[in-house]
Amino acid sequence: MERYRCGICGYVYDPEKGESRNNTAPGTDFEDLPDMWFCPSCGAAKRRFKITKRP
């Protein structure tokens, strides 16, 4: 799975981990997130995220 970085604050969404702050279950692909999903750190829209390389 790819990871996605917020272009505003740098938060990284990792589908393998999910995101408990907005009730996203582990294993949820970024493409499967609803269009209204937002960055849990800064509130940026899903469209502000870009694919990032794994460390």
Side-chain angles (χ1 to χ4, degrees):
M1 290 186 185
E2 301 286 346
R3 294 181 357 163
Y4 294 80
R5 181 178 302 277
C6 177
I8 304 299
C9 72
Y11 163 82
V12 174
Y13 174 72
D14 185 343
E16 292 178 4
K17 295 180 181 177
E19 177 51 65
S20 62
R21 292 180 280 179
N22 54 15
N23 298 319
T24 305
T28 304
D29 286 332
F30 189 79
E31 294 82 14
D32 293 336
L33 296 173
D35 290 337
M36 298 302 296
W37 189 88
F38 57 89
C39 177
S41 292
C42 73
K46 180 181 172 184
R47 64 184 166 80
R48 298 289 190 169
F49 282 72
K50 303 288 184 204
I51 295 173
T52 187
K53 295 180 181 179
R54 290 202 173 267

